[in-house]
Amino acid sequence: MFTYTDLLAADPDIYHALMGEMKRQSDGVELIASENYVSPAVMEAMGNVFNNKYSEGFPGKRYYGGQEFTDIIETLAIERAKKLFNAGHANVQPHAGAPANVAMYFALMEPGDTVMGMDLSHGGHLTHGHPVTYLTKIFRFVRYKMKDVETGELDYDEMRKVALAEKPKIILAGFSAYPREVNYAKMKAIADEIGAYTVADMAHIAGLIAGKQLRNPFDDGFDVITTTTHKTLRGPRGGMILTREAELGKKMDKSVFPGFQGGPIMQMIAAKAVAFGEALKPEFQEYAAQIIRNSKHLAKFFMDRHVKLVTNGTDNHLMLIDCMQSFGIPGGEVETVLDRVGMTLNKNMIPDDTRKPMDPSGVRLGTPAITTRGMKEKEMDILGEFILRAIEKRSDPRALESLHSDVQNFCRKYPVPGIS
Ligand code: DSN
């Protein structure tokens, strides 16, 4: 589709690495729960002359001239984002999810204030208060966990107890490795008792909410949503902050610019607008529904074969396998053997993991990317068989080689958008 002839002439090293990555993506199975394939239209929107433009400020209020076209794309991105998530305000400038969260924290808190978020080992994210981040030098973080790791139900009673004792300014919902739905209404009721803001970091599930398959936290009165735009939402790499009330959005705008960022990356904002336009179409709702059908089907495939899943199933696009319990090997070993046969997923902690983050007990996998390639329930059975075969034959190089070619032949039937 794209020819890249100028790139080949100017820089063969980069050209060949790009060709290698295109082949890797089309010949392999992408099961990393946070990855996806964008459409050719989104891809075209992110590589063009908008790169050449500085646009500090917001539509109609910029610090440089020449903004007639940047204003068009940023306004479209904002309006489409608001419609997609029923938001009062959208800031589409954050360069990624972590900067969106940082800008949100500084918009709502003073140094020393407290946030209550999900524990990392139970599925939370580094930016929700892990001690390795600089955020913990500025804000206090207290955590909540699941009440029952067999069902995945969050511990709302403990959450309330901690909230009353610690008086967080923000109660944060959201996760990067949690396979269940959150009861936003319960969290909002706790926040209301102490006058805290409610924020949902929905980076992983934004596309499932936009596609109307999971609940929108704004429907339960949440104040703010932060997200990335490149996971289930299937847009360019980037972030976004949404508020339910337009007034609170002003604080977010000030915090993003001039608080944290300089010039917005305009070609990415153009691509966000295109992706949001795609997500507003009815087909996207069917895509989001199929992601979840595939995920539930694959989860059942594993559980029927006595593979231990954290929370014993899934409500969304991802699942976590307890590899130590299921196969007697750590997650890293499963990740490595699947890499050898062209299947990509990531090692991951399981709740209260006794192993280290770089050598955890589990793996995380998800269905957004394979669903984009048109795979459905019957393909989930084939992929499940491939995964279990790879693990079973992990010490047999010839069996792995033969499985690798089976994986490649299978993948060729499901083209990656933009790679012919
Ligand atoms: N790196 C993302 C993920 O894989 O979940 C979160 O930031």
Side-chain angles (χ1 to χ4, degrees):
M1 175 146 315
F2 302 103
T3 56
Y4 301 107
T5 46
D6 290 312
L7 180 60
L8 172 61
D11 197 328
D13 292 341
I14 297 296
Y15 171 85
H16 289 299
L18 175 61
M19 292 303 117
E21 177 62 12
M22 283 168 76
K23 185 163 160 44
R24 188 193 72 78
Q25 291 193 14
S26 64
D27 285 2
V29 177
E30 187 52 74
L31 292 165
I32 293 178
S34 49
E35 295 189 7
N36 212 333
Y37 307 106
V38 295
S39 70
V42 170
M43 197 69 89
E44 281 182 359
M46 73 173 95
N48 53 55
V49 295
F50 278 120
N51 181 71
N52 304 338
K53 189 75 199 100
Y54 257 125
S55 309
E56 278 99 328
F58 295 98
K61 293 171 285 188
R62 308 272 191 192
Y63 286 83
Y64 294 81
Q67 306 292 347
E68 53 269 51
F69 300 107
T70 52
D71 275 4
I72 289 174
I73 58 165
E74 188 166 353
T75 303
L76 277 172
I78 290 168
E79 290 311 317
R80 289 174 186 173
K82 282 166 62 180
K83 194 161 169 203
L84 210 44
F85 295 99
N86 200 14
H89 183 89
N91 185 306
V92 297
Q93 294 191 2
H95 300 329
N101 278 344
V102 173
M104 172 276 293
Y105 287 140
F106 277 88
L108 301 179
M109 296 192 294
E110 295 298 323
D113 282 346
T114 302
V115 184
M116 182 166 75
M118 177 87 145
D119 189 271
L120 185 76
S121 87
H122 280 226
H125 187 250
L126 284 175
T127 56
H128 300 177
H130 194 276
V132 296
T133 66
Y134 291 144
L135 286 166
T136 56
K137 292 182 195 281
I138 298 162
F139 304 115
R140 282 182 68 235
F141 288 86
V142 291
R143 288 168 231 301
Y144 59 87
K145 289 185 170 186
M146 290 179 235
K147 182 181 199 164
D148 179 359
V149 292
E150 296 302 321
T151 64
E153 192 197 352
L154 297 181
D155 196 342
Y156 299 100
D157 298 328
E158 181 64 16
M159 206 185 277
R160 179 168 182 272
K161 223 187 279 170
V162 175
L164 294 179
E166 303 285 350
K167 301 276 185 310
K169 267 272 180 65
I170 294 174
I171 295 188
L172 182 62
F175 42 78
S176 57
Y178 177 67
R180 297 297 184 181
E181 240 314 24
V182 172
N183 189 330
Y184 300 109
K186 278 193 181 169
M187 294 183 77
K188 171 71 178 151
I190 296 167
D192 283 348
E193 282 190 65
I194 55 166
Y197 287 111
T198 38
V199 178
D201 176 347
M202 62 172 193
H204 262 262
I205 55 170
L208 305 178
I209 294 171
K212 304 202 183 319
Q213 303 305 311
L214 292 184
R215 200 162 170 79
N216 183 339
F218 285 149
D219 290 344
D220 291 312
F222 262 52
D223 300 304
V224 182
I225 288 175
T226 60
T227 185
T228 52
T229 48
H230 50 270
K231 298 186 173 92
T232 49
L233 193 48
R234 214 163 58 178
R237 233 148 239 290
M240 170 162 72
I241 306 176
L242 305 160
T243 61
R244 187 168 49 82
E245 301 285 353
E247 195 55 29
L248 191 59
K250 290 183 189 157
K251 284 190 183 210
M252 300 301 156
D253 282 355
K254 260 176 82 178
S255 190
V256 172
F257 175 82
F260 274 94
Q261 293 187 175
I265 304 178
M266 271 303 165
Q267 70 274 32
M268 290 313 205
I269 290 178
K272 285 174 188 174
V274 176
F276 300 160
E278 291 176 355
L280 281 165
K281 294 193 175 135
E283 304 87 276
F284 195 84
Q285 292 182 21
E286 177 47 31
Y287 165 63
Q290 189 63 48
I291 290 176
I292 296 179
R293 285 198 290 271
N294 283 349
S295 182
K296 285 179 184 282
H297 190 90
L298 188 54
K300 182 168 183 318
F301 174 94
F302 286 132
M303 290 188 298
D304 286 348
R305 285 153 187 79
H306 309 292
V307 173
K308 175 66 183 169
L309 297 191
V310 171
T311 82
N312 297 305
T314 180
D315 297 326
N316 59 27
H317 63 299
L318 68 82
M319 68 204 76
L320 292 152
I321 298 179
D322 182 337
C323 299
M324 290 305 294
Q325 191 174 326
S326 306
F327 316 118
I329 54 174
E333 215 173 309
V334 170
E335 181 188 287
T336 303
V337 76
L338 289 177
D339 253 340
R340 283 179 67 183
V341 300
M343 303 182 86
T344 318
L345 46 60
N346 64 281
K347 56 183 168 296
N348 212 95
M349 307 270 275
I350 60 167
D352 303 316
D353 208 328
T354 50
R355 302 178 67 89
K356 299 210 155 50
M358 275 309 283
D359 182 23
S361 299
V363 291
R364 182 189 69 166
L365 63 154
T367 53
I370 52 180
T371 306
T372 295
R373 286 177 90 159
M375 296 182 196
K376 297 201 164 127
E377 286 88 335
K378 76 173 164 37
E379 285 83 4
M380 296 306 109
D381 290 337
I382 296 169
L383 294 178
E385 295 283 0
F386 282 162
I387 291 169
L388 295 186
R389 205 167 115 201
I391 294 167
E392 191 195 332
K393 304 283 181 195
R394 62 188 178 278
S395 310
D396 180 344
R398 286 179 65 165
L400 291 182
E401 218 172 284
S402 144
L403 177 54
H404 193 187
S405 67
D406 289 350
V407 169
Q408 287 180 327
N409 290 334
F410 170 78
C411 284
R412 289 192 184 114
K413 294 188 226 147
Y414 304 93
V416 170
I419 306 179
S420 47

